[in-house]
Amino acid sequence: MLERSPVFIISVRVLGNHGGDDISAELSENAEASVASGPVLQFKLSDIGEGIMEVTVKEWYVKEGDRVSQFDSICEVQSDKASVTITSRYDGVIRKLYYDVDAVAHVGSPLVDIETDKALEGDPEEDVVETPAISYNQSHKKNQATPAVRRLAMENNIKLSEVVGTGKDGRILKEDIISFLAKQTGAILPYEVQKIPTPVISTAETPPKEETPIMAPLAIPRHIFSGKDRTEPLNGFQKAMVKTMSAALKIPHFGYCDEVDLTQLVRLRSELKDMAESRGVKLSYMPFFIKASHNIGLAMDTPQGLLVPNVKSVQALSVFDIAVELNRLQTLGSAGQLGTADLTGGTFTLSNIGSFPKNPHLPYLRRTAEQETRTTSKEQETLTHVVVWNNMRIGGTYAKPVILPPEVAIGALGKIQVLPRFNSRDEIVKAYIMNVSWSADHRVVDGATMSRFSNLWRSYLENPAAMVLELK
Amino acid sequence: MILRLSNRACVLSGSARLKSTLSTYFDEMGKAGIILKSASAGIFENLALEDWIHDHVDLQNRSILLLWRNSPVVVIGRHQNPWQECNLPLMRRLGIPLARRRSGGGTVFHDFGNINMTFFTSKKKYDRHRNLKVVTSALKALRPDLDVTATDRFDILLNGHHKISGTAAKLGRTSAYHHCTLLCSVDRSILSSVLKSNTSEVIRSNATLSVPSPVKNLSDVDPTLDADTIMEAIASQFNNEFGFDSPVITVDPAHEALMPGIHKMTNDIQMWEWIYGKTPKFSVCTSLVVDDVNIKLDMDIKSGTVEKCVVEIPEDWLPPETVNEFTSALNGSKYCPNEAAVLVAAFMRTRSMSADVAGKIHRLCEGVLSVM
């Protein structure tokens, strides 16, 4: 017997808040919901405790027309520094929300209307606090289980009353159904510890050895492919990338590749590295590559994606200055603090790809507060040296990088490899070789110019002493 | 599975049996009261530990006290607006992260000088005043002359005036937790600078506002009081007050086998969509001065995303079409300076503009970013 007569609602009603177009969508979405033909019950806001009579509704987790199961969260309310999650007592469909966000709700007043699935047993009181299992009248024993568990039991022809529940208040959990099944079929399930038979002999003065756990053979987890593609909205960074790349591909690219012998530079850098470090600056090869050019952008992988901040007026900076600036940009980049001035205005871009094999996932690790302080410079190096042209690979290799508008050229630097080469005396020597692939805007840059630039750039790097002599 | 360090402390080590979780371990223990201490100083791991206990441990006939401390972090309440509550640009510069907890209440700053205590009970046994009594009695047991009292707003005041503890709570279906802070030796200069927002005046919102109070450290009145001593005293007093006899058990919140699902919980509360995206809708309305020009900025932000961005700029300073493209670059993006900078940079790359216009857009963007 219901204390209150249900509010009349037929499942197919004109939804005043929605436009006419939405009705058919609403109905088909809720095709399942429209089957709910039980009474519509007012679900009242229960006593929160501590004599509180009013709360503020802060967030709704459901909207009208949504299907809810017993124990699903309905809304979040706040009172006096306490945030309270209100959960549903019934399975059914939400038919009405009584409050807007930020409205004040009164304890004891209706919060939502729920159209239940079928007639309920017992008294639909509004309190959500569970009574302990022992107080249930045995003859009216209602086995507690979520709809999913009930379905599982039904599919396996199991009577809930025969299953021992190990959840809170004797609630029957999925695990309980599974172990019930196991007992029935004698199957060995993963993660079940085999019981050691009770020891016959016990000469125990010493305490019994701790049971060595026997691990049942682990079931190989089967990945179930649902075969469904997932559509995800583009985040802001991806949108920016799409915009930039769409503009980039309107530029007629031509490519030019070359090989640079960095043997002398490797030697020079190893000599200068410690000096720079004593001044707190990490000296990679990049400052040299950059000094050999002009206003230059540097493709950098960050936790959010590819960013290209640039080092300005390189001609006025020493190699050390450039290294300082690079360190600064790397720090800002990984902390997500680069401004628009850092991100635009480059003349061309250098992209350093996979020069050292490192964990490509390092930039994507979330760091806890304590780990933040443990970031080593090694990790920062990885951040600059991994290029993410994930979606924009052309031809399967990195030999044709894409120009970033409005720049006119880009260089992709490959790995530094140790290879045998002939020197001027026709002897085979060990050389440090790096490949560079340039792309240039053919409307603005012709082949000869590109070639001249690349040769000059290469000559500075192959003979670093010339850089010291000539570059301001 | 358990290393007994002393009569009063033990550590839960690797779960020898795959089937055993923290929950079943408590059941096996059979105690009505349990004291835990987190082995982690990571805010997200510790908040996830709270969630896990709240969701998975049967608290109908059992109460748990969890003691934990974090490295520097600002923690806002469930329904708060971080832009109103703290100085985000300063926090970014200092490398101090932001976290949003699931309980209500106001904004706090944690570092190692702060002790957090979480009291887990059934909803029936939820009693914040009694929990705070545990804290004040423990402190008085250590130092009988200490003037510490709990107020009816669930704060604890030192000498009747300085706040040394704040409270927040989370109520679920059948259980609840009440947690509170305790200022032992927190860096107060950082605390006051990060908890002062740089943009609160320009924000209109219905989010829960913190009530600022003058604070003090316990170590200010008694330098011999340190966090470890205080935690031990609180653990003892918890046992006394409720008639329990639990040792202090150290738990590692990174231990997925012991607490299945906790890794996902830890990840979930680090997502931008939780920390910033859960901010109740608000609007920003301000005047910027760029190049001596007055610019009116009006933005509506819902779920942390810019839903409307209107910029009023004198036509002779920047052409309206450029301004429109600027605002549409920001529309639909996260209210986040990094994302905004990248989007505006992409807009600038793909549109030819004179150096003069580019410079103006840089400075305009800087102004807009300064309120994010």
Side-chain angles (χ1 to χ4, degrees):
Chain A
M1 289 299 267
L2 303 176
E3 272 194 351
R4 284 177 173 268
S5 52
V7 176
F8 66 90
I9 300 277
I10 311 298
S11 54
V12 184
R13 75 177 162 143
V14 177
L15 302 159
N17 292 335
H18 304 276
D21 298 330
D22 289 346
I23 291 185
S24 57
E26 189 94 19
L27 284 178
S28 58
E29 252 174 30
N30 293 309
E32 225 189 6
S34 62
V35 173
S37 53
V40 172
L41 300 170
Q42 281 184 340
F43 174 43
K44 292 188 197 146
L45 181 61
S46 64
D47 185 19
I48 308 282
E50 292 185 332
I52 290 166
M53 295 314 296
E54 278 178 0
V55 298
T56 311
V57 176
K58 282 303 201 177
E59 185 175 342
W60 285 105
Y61 295 125
V62 297
K63 53 187 193 303
E64 290 171 7
D66 281 351
R67 168 160 279 280
V68 292
S69 303
Q70 192 186 28
F71 310 141
D72 281 354
S73 299
I74 294 216
C75 66
E76 197 77 19
V77 303
Q78 180 164 258
S79 143
D80 204 13
K81 303 183 186 181
S83 190
V84 190
T85 307
I86 308 292
T87 57
S88 177
R89 183 167 163 76
Y90 315 114
D91 296 342
V93 177
I94 303 286
R95 286 301 176 204
K96 180 173 176 174
L97 306 181
Y98 280 80
Y99 298 100
D100 286 329
V101 168
D102 288 331
V104 173
H106 302 277
V107 170
S109 302
L111 192 62
V112 292
D113 282 344
I114 300 182
E115 184 182 328
T116 54
D117 283 339
K118 54 185 193 303
L120 285 184
E121 301 164 26
D123 206 353
E125 288 294 335
E126 74 277 12
D127 74 290
V128 252
V129 178
E130 287 216 316
T131 47
I134 44 170
S135 75
Y136 278 148
N137 185 342
Q138 284 292 32
S139 63
H140 259 306
K141 185 173 175 194
K142 182 178 172 176
N143 294 297
Q144 289 198 68
T146 63
V149 172
R150 285 178 203 271
R151 197 160 35 239
L152 185 64
M154 189 186 72
E155 283 167 3
N156 289 284
N157 280 321
I158 295 174
K159 279 208 197 125
L160 282 178
S161 52
E162 290 172 11
V163 182
V164 176
T166 60
K168 296 193 210 178
D169 307 327
R171 182 132 59 103
I172 296 168
L173 307 173
K174 192 168 115 178
E175 290 75 30
D176 300 325
I177 305 281
I178 291 175
S179 31
F180 182 83
L181 270 174
K183 285 189 210 126
Q184 300 278 316
T185 63
I188 295 174
L189 296 166
Y191 307 123
E192 173 132 80
V193 175
Q194 311 247 0
K195 297 253 184 291
I196 301 172
T198 46
V200 177
I201 307 157
S202 67
T203 49
E205 249 81 50
T206 56
K209 235 170 50 177
E210 187 157 280
E211 255 180 36
T212 37
I214 296 169
M215 307 216 261
L218 294 175
I220 296 162
R222 278 175 315 163
H223 293 285
I224 297 163
F225 294 101
S226 62
K228 280 205 297 214
D229 287 328
R230 210 174 57 193
T231 307
E232 283 181 355
L234 285 178
N235 68 31
F237 287 90
Q238 291 164 328
K239 281 192 201 146
M241 182 70 133
V242 168
K243 192 167 184 162
T244 311
M245 285 300 136
S246 305
L249 293 179
K250 295 193 183 128
I251 303 171
H253 285 54
F254 80 92
Y256 181 95
C257 299
D258 208 348
E259 192 184 87
V260 187
D261 186 336
L262 295 178
T263 311
Q264 291 197 36
L265 183 64
V266 168
R267 195 177 308 136
L268 178 65
R269 182 198 157 239
S270 68
E271 287 166 22
L272 297 176
K273 205 164 74 112
D274 291 338
M275 193 187 306
E277 235 167 271
S278 68
R279 291 162 71 180
V281 172
K282 215 194 115 33
L283 186 68
S284 61
Y285 290 105
M286 287 311 280
F288 296 96
F289 298 155
I290 289 171
K291 182 58 185 172
S293 3
H294 190 53
N295 259 3
I296 182 130
L298 177 72
M300 179 190 297
D301 186 30
T302 69
Q304 291 81 29
L306 180 72
L307 295 181
V308 189
N310 50 76
V311 180
K312 302 237 176 359
S313 303
V314 163
Q315 63 274 24
L317 301 175
S318 67
V319 170
F320 184 78
D321 292 335
I322 297 171
V324 169
E325 181 63 3
L326 268 191
N327 282 190
R328 185 187 76 88
L329 289 172
Q330 281 162 19
T331 312
L332 288 180
S334 49
Q337 291 175 31
L338 290 167
T340 50
D342 292 320
L343 291 170
T344 57
T347 312
F348 74 101
T349 291
L350 273 183
S351 167
N352 194 351
I353 41 177
S355 47
F356 307 103
K358 289 227 175 82
N359 183 347
H361 298 298
L362 254 179
Y364 298 99
L365 283 178
R366 297 199 187 278
R367 294 157 202 243
T368 60
E370 61 199 314
Q371 284 171 339
E372 287 284 1
T373 55
R374 292 207 303 260
T375 307
T376 59
S377 56
K378 248 187 169 359
E379 285 177 6
Q380 295 215 315
E381 188 179 39
T382 310
L383 288 172
T384 31
H385 291 171
V386 177
V387 163
V388 183
W389 292 109
N390 282 335
N391 308 317
M392 308 311 295
R393 277 189 179 196
I394 298 167
T397 66
Y398 289 114
K400 277 201 74 181
V402 178
I403 299 168
L404 284 166
E407 295 168 13
V408 299
I410 181 167
L413 310 172
K415 271 199 321 221
I416 301 180
Q417 297 173 286
V418 181
L419 295 169
R421 286 288 180 272
F422 285 106
N423 68 4
S424 53
R425 289 191 296 269
D426 283 346
E427 295 160 337
I428 292 189
V429 293
K430 171 179 165 183
Y432 290 83
I433 302 292
M434 179 182 76
N435 284 315
V436 56
S437 305
W438 301 102
S439 289
D441 182 341
H442 218 331
R443 301 169 299 185
V444 175
V445 180
D446 62 48
T449 309
M450 188 72 245
S451 172
R452 267 199 303 275
F453 171 80
S454 180
N455 288 340
L456 184 61
W457 184 81
R458 201 187 76 203
S459 71
Y460 284 136
L461 293 169
E462 290 184 341
N463 198 356
M467 243 194 327
V468 173
L469 190 64
E470 289 176 33
L471 290 184
K472 301 188 234 299
Chain B
M1 168 127 96
I2 306 166
L3 287 165
R4 203 152 272 275
L5 297 180
S6 70
N7 272 339
R8 287 179 303 146
C10 47
V11 173
L12 275 182
S13 65
S15 174
R17 291 179 233 202
L18 288 171
K19 208 172 168 191
S20 230
T21 67
L22 193 64
S23 206
T24 51
Y25 167 65
F26 290 157
D27 291 338
E28 284 166 18
M29 256 179 94
K31 286 194 192 282
I34 298 175
I35 304 177
L36 300 175
K37 186 165 135 172
S38 172
S40 168
I43 183 66
F44 300 110
E45 290 186 331
N46 287 328
L47 289 176
L49 178 59
E50 276 186 325
D51 286 344
W52 196 93
I53 294 173
H54 180 63
D55 289 352
H56 292 96
V57 177
D58 181 359
L59 293 160
Q60 292 319 298
N61 298 305
R62 177 189 291 137
S63 298
I64 297 180
L65 167 65
L66 170 69
L67 298 164
W68 44 296
R69 289 193 282 166
N70 303 306
S71 19
V73 60
V74 170
V75 185
I76 55 174
R78 172 75 173 79
H79 309 289
Q80 292 201 295
N81 180 324
W83 291 276
Q84 274 183 316
E85 296 295 331
C86 48
N87 189 331
L88 290 172
L90 176 62
M91 285 163 60
R92 288 176 197 127
R93 281 198 301 274
L94 293 176
I96 295 178
L98 175 71
R100 181 187 296 268
R101 57 179 191 265
R102 291 193 195 273
S103 56
T107 301
V108 286
F109 171 72
H110 293 178
D111 66 21
F112 273 118
N114 167 70
I115 300 173
N116 297 302
M117 297 156 273
T118 311
F119 299 85
F120 296 89
T121 58
S122 65
K123 261 169 92 161
K124 292 210 174 103
K125 297 218 179 95
Y126 170 68
D127 185 346
R128 291 180 282 185
H129 283 301
R130 195 168 181 196
N131 296 336
L132 291 180
K133 196 169 131 212
V134 168
V135 182
T136 51
S137 307
L139 290 173
K140 290 205 188 119
L142 279 178
R143 303 282 186 271
D145 290 334
L146 210 51
D147 176 4
V148 285
T149 45
T151 68
D152 52 11
R153 294 270 304 139
F154 309 109
D155 294 336
I156 298 180
L157 298 182
L158 178 63
N159 298 330
H161 177 58
H162 286 103
K163 183 170 164 176
I164 57 168
S165 165
T167 271
K170 174 94 190 72
L171 280 72
R173 202 167 50 81
T174 54
S175 50
Y177 63 79
H178 158 220
H179 54 201
C180 54
T181 54
L182 188 61
L183 294 176
C184 302
S185 52
V186 162
D187 186 329
R188 279 174 49 198
S189 67
I190 296 189
L191 183 154
S192 49
S193 54
V194 296
L195 292 186
K196 197 160 132 70
S197 162
N198 56 317
T199 53
S200 49
E201 301 92 57
V202 309
I203 294 179
R204 276 195 318 256
S205 101
N206 282 329
T208 314
L209 279 174
S210 298
V211 176
S213 318
V215 296
K216 210 164 196 164
N217 281 311
L218 282 168
S219 61
D220 289 343
V221 295
D222 187 337
T224 64
L225 276 177
D226 68 290
D228 286 307
T229 315
I230 295 177
M231 285 198 286
E232 242 187 73
I234 291 173
S236 290
Q237 189 58 30
F238 178 73
N239 279 333
N240 282 345
E241 171 72 31
F242 294 100
F244 299 142
D245 68 342
S246 174
V248 177
I249 304 171
T250 301
V251 175
D252 178 8
H255 205 140
E256 175 76 13
L258 202 55
M259 290 168 282
I262 202 168
H263 270 171
K264 178 168 189 298
M265 286 173 150
T266 310
N267 283 336
D268 286 348
I269 53 177
Q270 289 180 68
M271 312 226 59
W272 193 95
E273 285 71 19
W274 171 258
I275 300 179
Y276 295 96
K278 279 296 183 182
T279 307
K281 73 171 195 285
F282 65 101
S283 44
V284 173
C285 202
T286 182
S287 273
L288 307 166
V289 176
V290 179
D291 293 353
D292 293 332
V293 172
N294 263 322
I295 294 169
K296 262 200 72 196
L297 177 65
D298 209 324
M299 288 190 277
D300 285 345
I301 296 112
K302 191 169 161 200
S303 303
T305 304
V306 176
E307 286 213 319
K308 175 188 100 178
C309 176
V310 174
V311 183
E312 264 178 46
I313 293 183
E315 269 188 38
D316 54 0
W317 193 68
L318 269 183
E321 318 86 60
T322 311
V323 176
N324 282 339
E325 280 200 44
F326 176 80
T327 52
S328 22
L330 292 178
N331 252 321
S333 69
K334 288 183 183 158
Y335 189 63
C336 161
N338 194 23
E339 191 158 311
V342 167
L343 285 165
V344 172
F347 146 64
M348 290 175 73
R349 278 185 180 279
T350 56
R351 223 181 159 279
S352 64
M353 51 178 68
S354 66
D356 175 56
V357 169
K360 288 178 179 170
I361 295 192
H362 280 314
R363 293 187 291 279
L364 169 64
C365 196
E366 242 181 80
V368 173
L369 259 47
S370 71
V371 296
M372 290 187 178

